[in-house]
Structures are given as structure tokens and as C-alpha cells.
Amino acid sequence: MQITVNGKTCTFEQIVTIQDLLDKLQLTGRLAIEVNREIIPRSLFSTHAIHAGDAVEIVHAIGGG
Amino acid sequence: MNEQKSAADDKLVIGGRTYTSRLLVGTGKYKNLEQTGRAIAASGAEIVTVAIRRTNIGQNKDEPNLLDVISPEKYTILPNTAGCYDADSAIRTCQLARELLDGRALIKLEVLGDPKTLYPDTPATLKAAEKLIADGFEVMVYTNDDPIMAKRFEEMGCIAVMPLAAPIGSGLGIRNPYNIRTIVENAGVPILVDAGVGTASDATIAMELGCDGVLMNTAIAEAKNPVLMASAMKKAIEAGREAFLAGRMPRRAYASASSPIDGSFF
């Protein structure tokens, strides 16, 4: 399945939910996620399904003024 | 008795929370997370700004997160909308920040006009502020030193107004102290100077003008010794606040001797 993650096109097999994607990318810690410009709450990471063509943004807090 | 009371009770209240420190600091431009943590600790700041950006996919997974070093439990984290040049991206950033911080809706709104001066785009900032306030955000708004705009932002519901001293990262200090003073005199919400502070005396001047606090990043991070400068800034803010509360002497055109003439023996 082809999706876009943080602007890059990626191909994944066996990705069903957001949590699957995070596990595949080995991303942990405090994150916020948009799928197709819609914010998906953390509580729904294990249930929200990813579909082919989805545009996913994964953000976190970094140093800034 | 009056003097003691005013010093002890002199707290900063923003968004219903009470703070002892009137110094707010950013977390950008440091050498590494370790230096960031040490500088912030030395500053005594309780409110700390962060930026919201994409995670690095495929990079070092063991790299500590900023919020591991600057914990939301210990500090009030103030997400900014740095790098936004239009209202929509600022609003989107705030919504993601609120999700990131478990529903906490305190944000620093900045909508920039051009990358060279990083000056705020006032019409876009107004548009973003209106939508964010309607969506329940507590908006601390970065703006210029226009007293009319400062009051507008307050009247529309921003919980704090943050006029710049000078462009972000310029270190030029307060370019127009008279405007800052006018903003302070007209204000019913906290006024914090944000951007352009370069060294300790700049922060002191801001506080002597009656500001409620100062937000800075580059002044500390780009000092040769950031941890020492953070300590200097902590003292500078305290000194300026005490001088303001003490009520300075009047300026005079001519001299006023400090020693009496009576009893001179020559």
C-alpha cells in the first residue's frame, strides 16, 4: 500500500492502523498525527485505519523560540 | 510593611496560572539538548516555548525528545507557530500542538510577514487570533509595538500581548521604549516583550517600563556562555521588576546635590 508520510511517498505491507505505521517506523514518544489534514487523537491510534493514498503527518515538539 | 507585601505578592498570572518567574525562554538554537536543559534551569523560567515540526523518519531512534528534557510536568510548555506565514498554517499548528500536549490550549501565536525581518503580519495574525480564540485557545500573541493593535488584540480576547523589542534574533534591544510604555499603560492583560532582546540590560529596561515579563531565546542561546547569560537574565528581570515597583527617581535637567552645604568648613 502506498501512502505519504511527512511528505515522502512510502510503500508498506501489512499496515492496518496508525499504530501499525508507528511500530513499522519505530516511532515512540509524544507525537501528534494528521491523516489527510484531520487530526487523529492518540486514543484512536490503534483503531484508525490507514488507506492507500492517505497523507500522514507525524509531528513532535522541538526547540524553538 | 507595604514594600514587603508588594514584593512577596508580586506574581505573574497568565491564563489563570500563577508564576514566580517573569522570564520566559525559548528552546531553539542551543548546541544540544543538554545545554538547553542547563540554560533553562539557570534562567529560572517556568514557561518555555517549543516549535512543532515533523518527526525525522528513519533517524536515530534513541535520540531523546525535547519534552523528555523539558518535561510538561515541570514546565508550562508554550508551543509557538514559528515559520507560519499565513493564518491557516498557524491555526493548524496550534491544533496539532493542543493534541500533542493532551488538550492544553495555551499557545504563542506568530504569523510572519517576510523571512528577512520576521516581522509580524498583522492582518493575518488578527485572522488567526479570531479563529483560535473561538476554538477555545488561550492566545499569547506576538505583535509589533503599535499601541492600537496591542489594544485590539487584548479586546478580541488574547490573554497576553507580546510586542517585539526588535526583530527576532536581532539582539538590538528595545527600539521604541515609548511605545512599549504606552502599550503597558493601556493594557488590561499581561504585556510581555518578545523578540529582539540582546543582553541583560535590555531585559531590565523592559521590566522598568512596566512590562509583566520578557520572552527571549537568541539572547541566551547565542551568548558565548549561554548558561551564564541565562543566570544574568534571571537577575536582570528581577532587578528591573524591583526597580519598577520601587518607583524610580525623577529625571532632572540640572544637578541636585546629594551632600548638604550646611556645615561646610571651607
Side-chain angles (χ1 to χ4, degrees), chain B residues 257-266:
Chain B
S258 303
S259 307
I261 304 292
D262 284 1
S264 299
F265 53 89
F266 36 78

Side-chain angles (χ1 to χ4, degrees), chain B:
Chain B
M1 201 123 86
N2 254 350
E3 289 99 357
Q4 284 167 343
K5 183 179 194 291
S6 61
D9 292 344
D10 182 45
K11 303 287 186 192
L12 172 64
V13 181
I14 295 184
R17 283 199 196 174
T18 303
Y19 302 93
T20 304
S21 171
R22 293 175 177 276
L23 173 58
L24 289 66
V25 297
T27 50
K29 292 176 158 175
Y30 286 101
K31 199 165 70 177
N32 51 45
L33 279 182
E34 194 261 334
Q35 188 189 64
T36 310
R38 283 192 300 122
I40 288 169
S43 75
E46 296 164 288
I47 302 174
V48 174
T49 63
V50 301
I52 308 295
R53 293 287 181 267
R54 286 172 167 169
T55 54
N56 288 320
I57 311 284
Q59 292 211 341
N60 186 0
K61 283 132 188 100
D62 296 326
E63 210 175 279
N65 222 284
L66 174 66
L67 296 185
D68 296 330
V69 176
I70 314 291
S71 161
E73 255 95 87
K74 186 167 175 218
Y75 295 94
T76 294
I77 305 294
L78 179 60
N80 67 25
T81 64
C84 292
Y85 287 82
D86 63 82
D88 285 341
S89 53
I91 292 164
R92 198 174 153 203
T93 302
C94 293
Q95 289 167 340
L96 281 162
R98 180 166 56 182
E99 174 58 31
L100 196 69
L101 294 172
D102 308 316
R104 265 160 282 180
L106 180 72
I107 53 105
K108 167 178 157 172
L109 172 63
E110 52 185 293
V111 187
L112 308 175
D114 85 86
K116 187 166 178 181
T117 64
L118 296 181
Y119 224 69
D121 176 337
T122 300
T125 308
L126 277 165
K127 189 174 150 197
E130 195 183 344
K131 293 206 174 146
L132 288 165
I133 291 163
D135 192 14
F137 284 93
E138 294 181 315
V139 178
M140 298 176 67
V141 62
Y142 165 69
T143 177
N144 61 25
D145 57 13
D146 175 346
I148 306 300
M149 283 322 311
K151 197 63 184 173
R152 278 283 167 81
F153 281 119
E154 172 185 329
E155 284 164 347
M156 74 190 306
C158 294
I159 66 162
V161 175
M162 307 203 291
L164 55 84
I168 295 169
S170 68
L172 292 172
I174 296 178
R175 304 315 292 155
N176 196 338
Y178 295 99
N179 276 29
I180 301 292
R181 185 177 7 233
T182 301
I183 291 171
V184 167
E185 284 169 359
N186 289 345
V189 294
I191 301 298
L192 294 88
V193 157
D194 175 16
V197 166
T199 188
S201 47
D202 298 333
T204 304
I205 289 170
M207 298 309 291
E208 286 173 348
L209 289 168
C211 290
D212 297 278
V214 179
L215 202 166
M216 64 177 74
N217 190 154
T218 309
I220 296 176
E222 284 191 4
K224 290 190 179 62
N225 184 335
V227 176
L228 189 58
M229 183 58 87
S231 165
M233 288 299 185
K234 177 174 191 282
K235 293 170 180 144
I237 297 274
E238 287 167 0
R241 183 61 178 175
E242 283 188 5
F244 173 72
L245 292 174
R248 64 155 295 152
M249 60 166 277
R251 287 182 172 86
R252 296 185 172 95
Y254 296 99
S256 163
S258 303
S259 307
I261 304 292
D262 284 1
S264 299
F265 53 89
F266 36 78

